Amino acid sequence: MSTTEATPDHGNTPKTTIDWPTAGWSTGILAAFVVAALVFPSAISTGVGKGFTLAASMFGAYWQVLLLLTFFVAVALIFTPWSRARLGGMRAPEYSRFKWVAMIMTTLLAGGGVFWAAAEPLYHYSSVPPAFDDVEQGTMQGVFAALAVSFVDWGFLAWAILGSLGAIVMLIAADRGLPLRPRSLLYPILGKKAATSPIGSVVDVVSIISVAAGTIGPVGFLGLQISYALQSLFGFPDVYWVQLGLIAVLTAVAGVSVFSGINKGIQLLSRINVWLAIGLMALVLVFGSAWYVLKVFVGGFGLYITHFIPLSLYQGDQEWVAGWTVFFFGWFLGYAPLMAIFVARISQGRTARDLLIGTSVLPPLATTVWFAVLGGTGISLDQQNPGAVTGPLADDGLPAAIMAITSQLPLSTLIAIAFLLLTMTFVATTTDSMSYAISQSCMRQGEPSPRLRVTWAVLIGAAAAVLISIGDGGIDALQSAIVIAAVPVGFVMLPSLFGAPVLLRRIAIEQGVVTSKTTRVASPAPTDQL
């Protein structure tokens, strides 16, 4: 798979490598949504709410099964000899393991890496999830249950759908000459026709809209939440111009990173994120209660593993499932096609086993530890002083949790500022990474130029700035809209479930890693069909 820029035209290749219809439809639909949200905020909010409810009720169970099967297939492939096959046509990985995993982790976590990690365990602690309706609120079993359910939403299944089987299909399809675009996920069923099929254009547009909505939402959400935090810490007015300034700074950071390229920009931001997160985690453990966090992590993770399938497929309280598990599964599913592109781009030269462990095992394990440290510390502080953390969370929402936690620790202001900085760099990394993936999805051939990537970064920031002008409703509607967009994306990811193992086996035979039962010599497989 080539990762070089498109070469100048010499009569053999077209001068224009951008797919303007795909880019035009994607930006047009997003712009129409933003304008409609401004002009008809109530109608859009109501319509999106109804669409979300319908999508969750009709497809929620399918998403739960799809994500669960994707994880099981990914893990099973790790133990096959096929997983020794090297992907991407390179002899050695382009990035070290630490840099590679850092880029993957920080791209997904975004703002959730701080605000949701602190708040979700507290929400489930305050109100015991219905899957554990026999557990008494406030007990240690209740704490274990709160963490276990948080792990369901952000754990193994979320990571598997984002970077495992889809990335394998994308890498193999690219080796067969297909572009790094969402349409290539249809390669297992369409073969090389996926590159030119009209349905491929629809898949590209839907995938771009889905991930753009999923990125615009966190950017706008970040502006609102950090504005609240600055008011709590320093008395800054929590008004639109402050929120706008924060989004402008975030967009500028992402823009600078874009022009630095993947090898410098995203990679540098990712490493900063990881080291800052490790440092903050250490401070929280030292100033909080490391023993308590260890105890609740072991209890919560044990409950998560022993109830893995029932929790992943829980259908008891449909309203609760739609608001939590299905919402997050739909959100991550909406990211899946473009995350597959990004993971494929940075994973060239790695074996399939490396890729599967580096996406489906290591990041979710690190995520559960992170959630246990922030959420567990918040619960511990609230148990020592009832209402100290859950009270602000109930009154002011997500940002109040991390602010309430840090306010009760030594060096509270410094730690709070560090958490806000971490959140900004998380979201900036996601904006940069997804700007690359969106731009790549608009390319007929070659890699997108920094100018195209920064254009998408600016468009994401501008859309977020416009939507927050109408308050939380615009951002909430957009974040719910990604769940609606996940409906078609759920079917786009389905071919990877059965296609990745078949394609990987074929690649392993071609590379001589294994031999076919019917063919001793590895022979090239047909390139126009699975």
Side-chain angles (χ1 to χ4, degrees):
M1 177 172 55
S2 173
T3 59
T4 59
E5 295 287 346
T7 56
D9 176 64
H10 296 293
N12 298 321
T13 57
K15 292 182 180 180
T16 302
T17 59
I18 297 176
D19 185 344
W20 290 109
T22 296
W25 276 104
S26 302
T27 53
I29 293 172
L30 283 170
F33 179 88
V34 171
V35 171
L38 279 174
V39 179
F40 309 107
S42 298
I44 291 297
S45 181
T46 301
V48 169
K50 291 181 179 178
F52 170 83
T53 301
L54 186 63
S57 62
M58 292 184 64
F59 299 97
Y62 165 65
W63 295 344
Q64 289 172 276
V65 172
L66 175 64
L67 267 64
L68 185 65
L69 291 178
T70 297
F71 172 71
F72 282 151
V73 171
V75 171
L77 283 176
I78 292 173
F79 297 97
T80 67
W82 314 334
S83 63
R84 299 198 305 270
R86 197 168 295 277
L87 304 170
M90 298 178 68
R91 292 185 178 180
E94 187 175 1
Y95 305 102
S96 70
R97 189 176 303 277
F98 175 77
K99 294 175 182 177
W100 175 63
V101 173
M103 285 191 282
I104 292 172
M105 284 202 62
T106 54
T107 295
L108 171 64
L109 285 177
V114 176
F115 291 119
W116 279 112
E120 183 169 355
L122 284 160
Y123 276 126
H124 298 320
Y125 168 73
S126 300
S127 178
V128 178
F132 296 100
D133 55 5
D134 58 336
V135 173
E136 185 180 350
Q137 192 277 331
T139 63
M140 286 304 294
Q141 278 300 119
V143 178
F144 298 159
L147 286 173
V149 172
S150 300
F151 296 163
V152 171
D153 294 343
W154 291 82
F156 292 109
L157 304 195
W159 287 97
I161 195 64
L162 285 164
S164 61
L165 304 184
I168 288 176
V169 169
M170 191 69 68
L171 279 161
I172 295 175
D175 278 341
R176 303 299 200 211
L178 274 72
L180 274 182
R181 304 176 69 178
R183 64 179 63 202
S184 294
L185 292 168
L186 302 180
Y187 178 66
I189 55 176
L190 296 181
K192 281 196 169 182
K193 292 180 181 178
T196 56
S197 172
I199 194 174
S201 299
V202 176
V203 168
D204 289 343
V205 171
V206 168
S207 299
I208 290 172
I209 292 172
S210 180
V211 83
T215 307
I216 293 168
V219 171
F221 174 80
L222 180 68
L224 294 172
Q225 307 316 314
I226 294 187
S227 177
Y228 166 88
L230 290 177
Q231 182 186 51
S232 301
L233 289 172
F234 307 112
F236 280 36
D238 185 12
V239 293
Y240 179 66
W241 66 265
V242 173
Q243 299 158 4
L244 187 63
L246 291 167
I247 290 176
V249 170
L250 176 66
T251 305
V253 171
V256 171
S257 178
V258 163
F259 275 107
S260 299
I262 293 179
N263 289 333
K264 293 182 180 179
I266 296 176
Q267 188 185 137
L268 177 61
L269 279 177
S270 300
R271 282 185 288 166
I272 292 173
N273 290 342
V274 170
W275 286 117
L276 183 55
I278 291 173
L280 285 171
M281 186 163 58
L283 286 176
V284 171
L285 287 172
V286 170
F287 293 148
S289 176
W291 175 246
Y292 181 88
V293 169
L294 176 62
K295 184 167 58 175
V296 298
F297 170 73
V298 171
F301 193 78
L303 198 60
Y304 172 44
I305 296 301
T306 56
H307 292 71
F308 188 74
I309 294 178
L311 286 176
S312 300
L313 300 179
Y314 178 73
Q315 292 290 310
D317 186 327
Q318 286 296 305
E319 183 177 356
W320 184 92
V321 171
W324 287 103
T325 307
V326 167
F327 171 76
F328 282 114
F329 282 8
W331 199 0
F332 297 136
L333 187 57
Y335 265 90
L338 269 67
M339 272 296 294
I341 291 174
F342 180 70
V343 172
R345 169 60 184 83
I346 65 174
S347 300
Q348 298 169 61
R350 294 200 170 273
T351 64
R353 182 170 294 160
D354 278 344
L355 188 150
L356 293 168
I357 293 175
T359 56
S360 302
V361 179
L362 295 180
L365 286 175
T367 301
T368 56
V369 171
W370 178 249
F371 267 63
V373 171
L374 292 190
T377 298
I379 292 172
S380 172
L381 293 171
D382 199 79
Q383 288 181 331
Q384 296 171 29
N385 185 11
V389 182
T390 53
L393 176 64
D395 294 337
D396 298 314
L398 289 180
I402 193 66
M403 291 296 102
I405 292 170
T406 57
S407 68
Q408 298 179 62
L409 298 175
L411 304 176
S412 59
T413 301
L414 180 62
I415 294 176
I417 293 173
F419 270 114
L420 296 181
L421 178 62
L422 177 64
T423 307
M424 288 197 70
T425 55
F426 265 139
V427 177
T429 306
T430 301
T431 302
D432 189 357
S433 303
M434 291 301 98
S435 295
Y436 169 82
I438 292 172
S439 300
Q440 184 65 61
S441 300
C442 296
M443 299 297 295
R444 293 187 185 277
Q445 63 178 18
E447 283 206 334
S449 66
R451 182 174 298 178
L452 178 61
R453 290 172 56 198
V454 82
T455 298
W456 270 105
V458 170
L459 287 174
I460 288 170
V466 171
L467 285 173
I468 65 171
S469 68
I470 59 177
D472 293 353
I475 296 299
D476 289 344
L478 192 64
Q479 292 191 104
S480 295
I482 190 176
V483 178
I484 300 173
V487 172
V489 171
F491 296 102
V492 173
M493 298 305 297
L494 182 60
S496 299
L497 187 62
F498 57 83
V502 176
L503 289 170
L504 185 58
R505 176 181 178 274
R506 182 161 293 167
I507 289 294
I509 293 173
E510 290 180 11
Q511 294 181 5
V513 173
V514 298
T515 57
S516 171
K517 290 182 179 179
T518 58
T519 307
R520 289 184 177 274
V521 180
S523 57
T527 58
D528 60 343
Q529 61 184 4
L530 181 62

